[in-house]
Amino acid sequence: MAEKTLLQGIREALGEEMERDERVWVLGEDVGKKGGVFLVTEGLYDRFGEARVLDTPLAESSIVGVAIGAAMNGTLPVAEIQFADFIHPAFDQIVSEAARIRYRSNGDFSCPLVIRAPFGGGVHGGLYHSQSVEAYYAHVPGLKVVIPSTPEDAKGLLKSSIRDPDPVMFFEHKKTYRLIKGEVPDGDYATPLGKAAVRREGASLSCFAWGLMAHYCMQAAEELEADGVSVEVIDLRTLKPLDKEAILGSVRKTARALVVYEDNLTGGFGAEVAAIIAQEAFEHLDAPVVRVAAPDVPAMPFNKPQEDAFMPSPERIAAEMRKLAAY
Amino acid sequence: MAEKTLLQGIREALGEEMERDERVWVLGEDVGKKGGVFLVTEGLYDRFGEARVLDTPLAESSIVGVAIGAAMNGTLPVAEIQFADFIHPAFDQIVSEAARIRYRSNGDFSCPLVIRAPFGGGVHGGLYHSQSVEAYYAHVPGLKVVIPSTPEDAKGLLKSSIRDPDPVMFFEHKKTYRLIKGEVPDGDYATPLGKAAVRREGASLSCFAWGLMAHYCMQAAEELEADGVSVEVIDLRTLKPLDKEAILGSVRKTARALVVYEDNLTGGFGAEVAAIIAQEAFEHLDAPVVRVAAPDVPAMPFNKPQEDAFMPSPERIAAEMRKLAAY
Amino acid sequence: MATAKETRHAALGLEPDRLLTMYRQMVLARAVDRRMWVLNRQGKAPFVISGQGHEAIQVAAANCMRPGIDWLCPYYRDLPFCLALGMTAREFMLAVFAKADDPNSGARQMPSHFGIQRLRIITSSSVVGTQVVHAVGVAYASKMRGLDEVSVTCIGDGGTSQGDWHESMNWAGIHKLPFICIVQDNDYAISVPHRLQMGVDTVARRAEGYGVAGEAVDGGDLLASYEAMRRAVERARAGQGATLISAKVARFTSHSSDDDQRRYRPQAELEALLRRDPIERFRNYLLDEGVVSEADDERIQQECTAEVDEAVTGAEAAESPRPEDLLKHVYADG
Amino acid sequence: MATAKETRHAALGLEPDRLLTMYRQMVLARAVDRRMWVLNRQGKAPFVISGQGHEAIQVAAANCMRPGIDWLCPYYRDLPFCLALGMTAREFMLAVFAKADDPNSGARQMPSHFGIQRLRIITSSSVVGTQVVHAVGVAYASKMRGLDEVSVTCIGDGGTSQGDWHESMNWAGIHKLPFICIVQDNDYAISVPHRLQMGVDTVARRAEGYGVAGEAVDGGDLLASYEAMRRAVERARAGQGATLISAKVARFTSHSSDDDQRRYRPQAELEALLRRDPIERFRNYLLDEGVVSEADDERIQQECTAEVDEAVTGAEAAESPRPEDLLKHVYADG
Ligand SMILES: Cc1ncc(C[n+]2csc(CCOP(=O)(O)OP(=O)(O)O)c2C)c(N)n1
Ligand SMILES: Cc1ncc(C[n+]2csc(CCOP(=O)(O)OP(=O)(O)O)c2C)c(N)n1
Ligand SMILES: [Mg+2]
Ligand SMILES: [Mg+2]
């Protein structure tokens, strides 16, 4: 075991999988010589060559579409979208094509493909380098949606995603890339998709989050510990498939649920989590299901005062936890 | 007043607005001589000429992008996307551009634009001519999302949308086009955006829906009437802005909520409706918030047995109403 | 070198047998296609969309490919293409009748949304243009893996307006891929005429701007189509890069059974179409060259009709999909 | 007709005054641009992205337009363009410092995301390629409304790979729009070199395939750029349709302050860039032709520096946006 950053976890998973299976390859803008704008793919070009670490034209729809075609011809592409904000031109290829290859061919074809993209804010990215886009894809049957929040998970979940026979959207919170460090087990391991992680057990209320918000919830929970409120923090890790049992089990225990996400409130994926709880754990609830999320404005501004005002902060989360625990 | 189809309501709104304001124009695939694949724009080409009723190249991103540019240069475009299923190539132009013109320019620019698209199934459309796509757009700050379910609303809401200073997504359920007939007031009128319609008052439970499902809910509610269960049916009509007061007011009265939608269950817009109720009307609830929706499979198959199995039916809705009323 | 007296087919090295095969494939495709319209009018096929008038370029192209080795990312007019690659009339009719055994999609998709793994015909959606990018990906994978495969895709004139088409051509040019894009240019995208679809007479003019070879061909002329396609395939196999073929064809039917082309096409234009029948043209050639006799032709037509009859009977009697199977094949494990 | 002895600028009908204006605009742009990198290193500007090396084509283009009448859909390297159209150094610096009065976006966007209604510079996003389609829409509206306006847009070589670019060119060709697309081809898209971006030497080769005019120009040569742009503007105003200008330029800086081009560009290439400085080249021309003296030049440089100093001082002292204004301008009524 060694302490590594989340970014290193991802880089290692890529390198090891490419080493292990020559069908695996990487494509995207600037993933080659430069090693990616965040240096996630650094070193891969030298190790595996241009054909398997391919700098693509600036055209996201084709990055995904080419990966789809290549996935149907015996390879395992890992496509990088430089920023999640720029995945929208590929929306059609992802939603109409990748997600439906298996279904529409009645199982005759499959599309084993990973699409990686850094998302999220808090890094002065402004309106177009800060967005959360998971809600769009977690709505799409046929896709899997994975969001790691620790270095160990980043590596283990990416390995599982690459080995998965279906298309996986793999979103990496860019603020966690270097901020979040942690132990990464040595050797090969794969973290299963579809399982949430209980980051902290607690009795007074359950808090559900993913990405950077999982860390902010931990901070808030620690703050509440001091006040004697014990918060259970569950990192969902994969939004699709969703670990409903973990969610419902926790709510059955604590009777209070808080859902925290960085995306805009309305129609964010937290709505789904809340709706599941409201339908399937209703009898166990002692309080409203509370959501903490970003306001319904297009995205996070570049200027610091408004960026800060947009992001759900540990303080705001702690305040909501307090209110909910006291309900 | 005269009895008209929903399709006629839309056609009239287009014709009258084009007559009233020469800035209004229509663009899309086959909207010209053919009058649209559903004949919604029939007659407009002869009345207003090719420049204002423009057959575009087969390229949705440019249909929307050109409309955006034209909206910034003093015109009021109404873009038709032939089927909502084919709106995805335009996702980026809608979400990254149209929705943010005002916000990102700090109010210096605006984008008065309507995007019309037929959506929904039950017409043998198969995987790619049947989808519901409202959830994607109802999540996007800066957009408005309108779904009429009656001829009167179709006309009145489309007029409001065309007169609205911001981009409006206007989704028309294709099965309702000719199936749904109703009185349409004579003369000019505009139905305000952001107001739900109580289609039926009731005391035992509240049922929320839009599009075709609003009609199915009415059918189911009538069936339950016979059993002495009184169901309130609320047609949301505009998902964004959402009439939260109408939703919460109804739930406060009935203490039971059913949300019905044709889209896939997970992450559909009904999740948002349920989440709002679970947070803001929790104290008034006597039962779980129940959702009835399509299963999480990519879309509605072409073959009849599976198409029928996909669509929430009046029978299935009635059964859920009964269960919920008895809870 | 072809001498003045050499026939066109001999100059192409085509034996009579192969000519007959291609002729028969065109005739069968037309017979299947006509029948599906009959079924539509009878209320037995809720939706049909046609390849009538597009047969020559498609059959010519298929005959330059190695079925099961080379790949096709088709579009919805490629019935003749798919039949020529080995799809059976019965398989197609299973889709027309929306039966469970439809090998393309188990009747999840509308008919003519082709996709059969065993023939390397890649599953296609209704979304115009997306298939072209997949074909590029297939070709990139073949090249990366060092495999001698050619990747072919078809699209209409309207489809070339999509961004995806451009992105694909650009990739093909950059990597000199074994990729061939056949544009079946029938002058219309549903009702939208050529002049509102593009500012040039043929998209073949775009080839140079991508660094790919361009061929503008009369797609109603089987031998001309064969020649262009064979050149493209040779180019691909020789590692010389991609080709954009623009084939002018005639759309005989309305866009689909949901359309009525009399609403937007002048009567005179519709009548003129009939003189552009690729099957007639090839039949006349074969008769003129003595490759077939009237009697041969009669026999072929009868065989094809019989094949269609049998396909229809078999398919109509097949099982419908089961409602509960709606939930299958969303993921590998379900 | 130009005689052998006529100067290049006289042949273009350019008076010394106009030459001086353009020279001064380039110098100012460079001064502003350099200063923002200094601010970045000082930790006062979290993000900067540059137009250094792209000045000639931009300033030339701006000088063929009528500010406030013709439209620009810019991209993030268009600082020289926007200054030449009338944006002030102070306005730009307000964006660099992320101040509330930034006229582009109230500091909601990163700096260099231009958009100022009064100058008809249309608000732009970070999403490469989208602006080109808007420019087509602007041009279509001008044409529909019978207005004598020209719509200009800029994009990089990488940006031309986007589907949106193609869809735009196609529209421009179909409708013969008063539309000009200027591709500022600096051989890189961040780190991706030209050979992996396209299979041809210049995108100007694509013009013919759309039915638009094509111009390949040395974008580091102010007069050549002016000539190409003026032709394009005349074409647009005469109703003769659209033009695609591909201007070769040199990217002097790293892609942005988040990039380090030494990671992927050879040292020799970086050194060679310096010999391609468009401002140097134009200065030498002006000195050679006696349009400016060394003393004039000195004065211009000093004036520009003073203008930048003042802009920086003013902008730095301005107010930051208020957190609660985050919620404003989502819709007209909010
Ligand atoms: C992205 C998308 N937009 C619209 C449609 C609806 N549509 C189906 S076919 C068609 C016209 C296609 O024309 P063309 O590409 O010329 O092919 P043709 O049918 O003429 O062979 C249209 C508009 C679609 N299927 N996909
Ligand atoms: C759709 C999209 N994808 C990716 C990016 C990230 N990005 C910003 S600029 C750039 C390179 C642009 O290169 P080019 O178009 O050649 O313009 P240049 O910067 O060289 O002037 C990239 C990849 C983006 N902004 N938008
Ligand atoms: Mg066509
Ligand atoms: Mg560049």
Side-chain angles (χ1 to χ4, degrees):
Chain A
M1 298 269 271
E3 169 120 325
K4 288 178 179 151
T5 62
L6 190 139
L7 186 148
Q8 282 173 310
I10 294 167
R11 190 191 285 150
E12 282 186 14
L14 288 172
E16 292 177 19
E17 290 303 293
M18 289 182 77
E19 199 74 69
R20 192 184 59 81
D21 187 339
E22 66 169 23
R23 294 173 306 165
V24 180
W25 63 293
V26 162
L27 71 165
E29 295 154 10
D30 303 291
V31 297
K33 243 183 223 174
K34 182 174 163 78
V37 293
F38 292 99
L39 304 187
V40 171
T41 56
E42 192 177 25
L44 299 182
Y45 182 89
D46 289 336
R47 278 168 74 191
F48 301 104
E50 186 168 287
R52 282 180 72 197
V53 186
L54 184 68
D55 274 335
T56 65
L58 207 175
E60 286 74 11
S61 187
S62 67
I63 293 173
V64 173
V66 165
I68 291 171
M72 289 194 280
N73 191 5
T75 74
L76 299 172
V78 182
E80 176 176 304
I81 299 293
Q82 197 160 82
F83 288 87
D85 312 66
F86 306 135
I87 201 169
H88 300 333
F91 194 73
D92 186 49
Q93 284 287 353
I94 299 169
V95 172
S96 300
E97 302 296 323
R100 299 177 175 201
I101 297 287
R102 187 184 295 282
Y103 193 76
R104 78 181 185 213
S105 68
N106 208 22
D108 198 22
F109 286 86
S110 68
C111 186
L113 159 67
V114 178
I115 300 175
R116 295 180 39 247
F119 81 104
V123 297
H124 293 313
L127 297 187
Y128 294 97
H129 297 79
S130 306
Q131 293 167 69
S132 298
V133 302
E134 69 275 11
Y136 299 120
Y137 300 102
H139 177 49
V140 179
L143 298 179
K144 299 188 176 178
V145 178
V146 179
I147 305 180
S149 80
T150 69
E152 172 175 350
D153 279 0
K155 182 168 175 182
L157 290 170
L158 183 52
K159 287 193 168 222
S160 291
S161 300
I162 292 173
R163 297 172 192 181
D164 196 273
D166 286 302
V168 179
M169 310 297 298
F170 195 90
F171 295 119
E172 304 157 7
H173 197 291
K174 63 176 82 70
K175 188 163 181 165
T176 67
Y177 269 150
R178 291 165 198 281
L179 181 70
I180 303 301
K181 300 193 183 71
E183 298 294 316
V184 172
D186 297 322
D188 187 42
Y189 68 96
T191 309
L193 307 185
K195 290 265 164 268
V198 181
R199 296 295 179 203
R200 189 177 200 292
E201 300 216 14
S204 316
L205 71 93
S206 305
C207 177
F208 305 98
W210 54 92
L212 180 67
M213 289 300 129
H215 296 280
Y216 283 11
C217 289
M218 289 295 283
Q219 286 178 38
E222 272 148 37
E223 213 185 297
L224 263 76
E225 186 80 69
D227 312 359
V229 182
S230 132
V231 178
E232 178 144 307
V233 176
I234 297 196
D235 178 355
L236 294 179
R237 297 202 291 192
T238 64
L239 303 190
K240 202 175 187 82
L242 183 66
D243 192 347
K244 258 173 63 170
E245 269 325 300
I247 296 170
L248 297 174
S250 180
V251 175
R252 280 195 289 260
K253 185 172 79 174
T254 66
R256 284 176 164 72
L258 185 75
V259 188
V260 181
Y261 49 108
E262 187 181 322
D263 194 1
N264 307 116
L265 177 72
T266 298
F269 191 72
E272 177 63 31
V273 177
I276 289 173
I277 295 169
Q279 177 156 2
E280 300 186 39
F282 177 75
E283 295 187 1
H284 302 274
L285 282 174
D286 284 345
V289 183
V290 175
R291 292 184 289 163
V292 175
D296 285 332
V297 308
M300 207 171 299
F302 173 68
N303 70 80
K304 185 96 171 75
Q306 293 178 345
E307 181 180 74
D308 289 346
F310 181 99
M311 285 286 272
S313 62
E315 296 69 41
R316 190 177 145 212
I317 297 167
E320 292 291 342
M321 284 176 174
R322 259 188 212 101
K323 260 199 280 176
L324 184 55
Y327 183 91
Chain B
M1 299 268 269
E3 170 121 322
K4 288 179 181 151
T5 62
L6 190 140
L7 186 147
Q8 282 173 310
I10 294 167
R11 189 191 287 149
E12 281 186 15
L14 289 172
E16 291 177 19
E17 291 303 293
M18 290 182 78
E19 197 75 66
R20 192 184 60 80
D21 187 340
E22 68 172 19
R23 295 173 305 166
V24 180
W25 63 293
V26 163
L27 72 164
E29 295 154 11
D30 304 291
V31 298
K33 241 184 222 173
K34 182 174 162 76
V37 293
F38 292 100
L39 305 185
V40 171
T41 55
E42 193 177 24
L44 299 182
Y45 181 90
D46 289 336
R47 277 169 74 191
F48 301 106
E50 187 169 284
R52 284 180 71 199
V53 186
L54 183 66
D55 275 334
T56 65
L58 207 176
E60 285 76 10
S61 187
S62 67
I63 293 173
V64 173
V66 165
I68 291 170
M72 289 193 280
N73 191 5
T75 74
L76 300 172
V78 182
E80 176 176 304
I81 300 294
Q82 197 161 81
F83 288 87
D85 312 65
F86 307 134
I87 202 169
H88 300 333
F91 194 72
D92 185 49
Q93 283 286 354
I94 299 169
V95 172
S96 300
E97 303 296 325
R100 299 177 173 199
I101 297 287
R102 186 184 295 282
Y103 194 76
R104 78 181 185 212
S105 68
N106 207 23
D108 198 22
F109 286 87
S110 67
C111 186
L113 159 67
V114 178
I115 300 175
R116 296 180 38 246
F119 81 105
V123 298
H124 294 313
L127 297 186
Y128 293 96
H129 296 79
S130 306
Q131 292 166 70
S132 298
V133 302
E134 68 276 10
Y136 299 120
Y137 301 102
H139 177 49
V140 179
L143 298 179
K144 299 187 176 179
V145 177
V146 179
I147 305 181
S149 80
T150 69
E152 173 175 351
D153 280 0
K155 181 167 175 180
L157 290 170
L158 183 52
K159 286 195 168 219
S160 291
S161 300
I162 292 173
R163 298 173 192 181
D164 197 273
D166 286 302
V168 179
M169 309 298 296
F170 195 90
F171 295 119
E172 304 157 6
H173 196 293
K174 64 176 84 68
K175 189 163 178 164
T176 66
Y177 269 151
R178 289 164 200 280
L179 182 70
I180 304 301
K181 300 194 183 70
E183 298 294 316
V184 173
D186 296 322
D188 187 43
Y189 68 97
T191 310
L193 307 186
K195 290 264 163 268
V198 181
R199 295 296 180 202
R200 191 177 198 291
E201 301 217 13
S204 317
L205 72 94
S206 305
C207 177
F208 304 99
W210 53 93
L212 181 66
M213 289 302 129
H215 296 280
Y216 283 10
C217 289
M218 288 295 282
Q219 285 177 39
E222 273 149 36
E223 214 186 297
L224 263 76
E225 186 80 71
D227 312 358
V229 182
S230 129
V231 178
E232 179 144 308
V233 177
I234 297 195
D235 179 354
L236 294 179
R237 298 201 291 193
T238 65
L239 303 190
K240 202 173 189 83
L242 183 66
D243 192 347
K244 257 172 66 170
E245 270 325 299
I247 296 171
L248 296 174
S250 180
V251 175
R252 279 195 289 262
K253 184 173 78 174
T254 66
R256 285 174 163 75
L258 185 75
V259 188
V260 181
Y261 49 109
E262 188 180 322
D263 195 1
N264 306 117
L265 178 71
T266 298
F269 190 72
E272 177 64 30
V273 177
I276 289 173
I277 295 169
Q279 177 156 1
E280 301 186 39
F282 177 76
E283 297 187 1
H284 302 275
L285 281 175
D286 285 345
V289 183
V290 176
R291 291 185 290 163
V292 176
D296 285 332
V297 307
M300 208 171 299
F302 173 68
N303 70 80
K304 185 96 171 73
Q306 293 178 345
E307 180 179 76
D308 289 346
F310 182 99
M311 285 288 272
S313 62
E315 296 70 40
R316 191 178 145 211
I317 296 167
E320 293 291 343
M321 284 176 174
R322 260 189 212 101
K323 261 199 280 175
L324 185 55
Y327 182 93
Chain C
M1 283 270 92
T3 70
K5 295 194 63 192
E6 197 183 27
T7 62
R8 287 179 66 205
H9 64 271
L12 289 166
L14 282 169
E15 304 291 332
D17 259 14
R18 178 53 73 103
L19 298 182
L20 267 177
T21 301
M22 293 196 280
Y23 179 61
R24 196 182 184 289
Q25 287 169 345
M26 291 206 285
V27 170
L28 178 65
R30 181 67 62 87
V32 171
D33 199 309
R34 284 210 173 124
R35 184 68 59 87
M36 74 179 173
W37 284 91
V38 173
L39 293 167
N40 176 256
R41 278 190 297 270
Q42 292 173 342
K44 293 181 175 178
F47 176 84
V48 302
I49 189 162
S50 210
Q52 288 183 48
H54 291 225
E55 291 93 347
I57 177 68
Q58 293 184 28
V59 166
N63 279 273
C64 296
M65 292 166 64
R66 297 159 302 182
I69 296 174
D70 298 326
W71 299 83
L72 175 66
C73 290
Y75 92 127
Y76 48 80
R77 297 215 188 278
D78 285 346
L79 170 61
F81 209 140
C82 294
L83 289 171
L85 286 177
M87 186 180 71
T88 66
R90 181 169 193 277
E91 287 177 318
F92 180 68
M93 283 298 171
L94 285 166
V96 170
F97 286 109
K99 296 303 173 102
D101 286 343
D102 159 26
N104 300 285
S105 79
R108 286 170 167 187
Q109 296 212 70
M110 293 172 151
S112 296
H113 286 60
F114 304 104
I116 303 186
Q117 181 74 259
R118 80 166 198 279
L119 299 170
R120 295 202 157 182
I121 297 170
I122 287 192
T123 174
S124 47
S125 75
S126 306
V127 190
V128 166
T130 52
Q131 75 278 17
V132 183
V133 202
H134 304 167
V136 168
V138 165
Y140 187 83
S142 300
K143 189 173 173 182
M144 180 166 59
R145 298 169 67 198
L147 300 174
D148 169 37
E149 300 167 347
V150 179
S151 177
V152 179
T153 188
C154 293
I155 190 169
D157 45 318
T160 64
S161 297
Q162 282 286 6
D164 270 7
W165 182 81
H166 163 72
E167 298 187 12
S168 302
M169 296 307 299
N170 190 39
W171 271 77
I174 292 167
H175 293 287
K176 292 205 163 300
L177 295 178
F179 164 87
I180 300 167
C181 176
I182 302 174
V183 177
Q184 300 181 32
D185 182 350
N186 60 14
D187 282 322
Y188 282 91
I190 307 186
S191 73
V192 181
H194 203 277
R195 76 176 167 90
L196 289 172
Q197 194 66 243
M198 60 182 81
V200 283
D201 54 347
T202 166
V203 288
R205 284 194 199 288
R206 295 192 182 152
E208 198 222 321
Y210 294 110
V212 311
E215 303 261 7
V217 68
D218 174 355
D221 179 335
L222 183 106
L223 293 176
S225 298
Y226 186 90
E227 191 180 346
M229 181 68 182
R230 202 177 58 181
R231 244 191 326 262
V233 168
E234 280 164 5
R235 199 175 282 127
R237 295 222 180 97
Q240 290 165 354
T243 305
L244 166 60
I245 297 177
S246 178
K248 276 277 178 199
V249 293
R251 191 187 83 193
F252 277 18
T253 63
S254 286
H255 173 74
S256 73
S257 52
D258 289 342
D259 180 39
D260 178 0
Q261 61 181 342
R262 290 168 305 184
R263 291 181 69 92
Y264 52 84
R265 289 181 91 166
Q267 185 56 26
E269 179 180 307
L270 290 172
E271 280 161 21
L273 280 183
L274 301 176
R275 291 192 293 279
R276 294 170 59 194
D277 187 344
I279 304 188
E280 275 303 306
R281 288 170 69 188
F282 194 47
R283 188 202 334 269
N284 290 338
Y285 176 85
L286 296 177
L287 290 171
D288 286 353
E289 296 294 343
V291 181
V292 293
S293 63
E294 295 278 4
D296 294 335
D297 184 31
E298 184 67 16
R299 186 181 37 77
I300 290 172
Q301 302 279 355
Q302 277 168 8
E303 281 168 16
C304 289
T305 306
E307 201 171 325
V308 174
D309 288 342
E310 205 187 307
V312 167
T313 314
E316 195 168 6
E319 298 284 312
S320 285
R322 292 182 310 176
E324 61 275 25
D325 289 347
L326 170 74
L327 303 178
K328 281 196 181 154
H329 301 304
V330 179
Y331 299 99
D333 51 10
Chain D
M1 285 270 94
T3 70
K5 297 193 58 191
E6 197 181 25
T7 60
R8 285 178 67 204
H9 64 269
L12 288 167
L14 282 169
E15 304 290 333
D17 260 13
R18 177 51 74 99
L19 298 183
L20 268 176
T21 300
M22 292 195 280
Y23 179 63
R24 196 182 185 290
Q25 287 169 345
M26 291 207 283
V27 171
L28 178 65
R30 182 67 62 86
V32 171
D33 199 307
R34 285 212 172 121
R35 184 68 59 90
M36 75 178 171
W37 285 90
V38 173
L39 294 167
N40 177 256
R41 279 190 297 270
Q42 293 173 341
K44 293 182 175 176
F47 175 85
V48 302
I49 189 161
S50 210
Q52 288 183 46
H54 291 226
E55 291 93 347
I57 177 68
Q58 292 183 27
V59 166
N63 279 274
C64 296
M65 292 166 63
R66 296 160 300 183
I69 297 174
D70 297 326
W71 299 83
L72 175 65
C73 289
Y75 92 127
Y76 48 80
R77 297 215 188 279
D78 286 347
L79 170 61
F81 209 140
C82 293
L83 289 171
L85 286 178
M87 187 180 70
T88 67
R90 180 168 194 278
E91 286 178 318
F92 180 68
M93 283 300 171
L94 285 166
V96 170
F97 285 110
K99 296 304 174 106
D101 285 343
D102 159 26
N104 300 285
S105 78
R108 286 171 168 189
Q109 296 212 70
M110 293 172 150
S112 296
H113 286 60
F114 304 105
I116 303 186
Q117 180 76 259
R118 80 166 198 278
L119 300 170
R120 294 203 158 183
I121 298 170
I122 287 191
T123 173
S124 48
S125 75
S126 306
V127 190
V128 166
T130 51
Q131 75 277 18
V132 184
V133 202
H134 304 167
V136 168
V138 165
Y140 187 84
S142 300
K143 190 174 170 180
M144 181 166 61
R145 298 169 68 198
L147 301 174
D148 169 36
E149 301 166 348
V150 180
S151 176
V152 178
T153 188
C154 293
I155 189 169
D157 46 318
T160 65
S161 297
Q162 282 286 7
D164 270 6
W165 182 81
H166 163 72
E167 298 187 10
S168 301
M169 297 306 300
N170 189 40
W171 270 79
I174 293 167
H175 293 287
K176 292 203 162 300
L177 295 178
F179 164 87
I180 300 167
C181 177
I182 302 174
V183 177
Q184 299 180 31
D185 182 350
N186 59 14
D187 281 321
Y188 282 91
I190 308 187
S191 72
V192 181
H194 204 276
R195 75 177 168 88
L196 289 172
Q197 194 66 244
M198 62 182 78
V200 284
D201 54 347
T202 166
V203 288
R205 285 194 199 288
R206 295 193 179 151
E208 198 223 321
Y210 294 111
V212 311
E215 303 262 5
V217 68
D218 174 355
D221 179 336
L222 183 106
L223 293 176
S225 297
Y226 185 91
E227 192 181 346
M229 182 67 183
R230 200 176 59 180
R231 240 188 334 258
V233 168
E234 279 164 5
R235 200 175 282 127
R237 294 220 181 102
Q240 289 164 356
T243 304
L244 167 59
I245 297 178
S246 179
K248 276 278 178 199
V249 294
R251 193 187 82 194
F252 278 16
T253 64
S254 286
H255 173 74
S256 73
S257 51
D258 289 342
D259 180 39
D260 177 1
Q261 61 180 341
R262 291 167 303 184
R263 291 181 67 92
Y264 53 82
R265 291 181 90 165
Q267 185 56 29
E269 180 180 307
L270 289 172
E271 281 160 18
L273 280 183
L274 301 176
R275 290 191 295 279
R276 294 170 60 193
D277 186 344
I279 303 187
E280 275 304 306
R281 289 169 68 187
F282 194 47
R283 188 202 335 269
N284 290 339
Y285 176 86
L286 296 178
L287 290 170
D288 286 354
E289 297 292 343
V291 182
V292 293
S293 64
E294 294 279 3
D296 294 336
D297 184 29
E298 186 65 18
R299 185 181 38 77
I300 290 173
Q301 304 279 355
Q302 277 167 8
E303 282 169 14
C304 290
T305 307
E307 201 171 327
V308 174
D309 289 342
E310 205 188 306
V312 167
T313 312
E316 195 167 7
E319 297 285 311
S320 285
R322 292 181 308 174
E324 61 274 25
D325 288 347
L326 170 74
L327 303 177
K328 280 197 181 154
H329 299 306
V330 180
Y331 298 99
D333 51 11

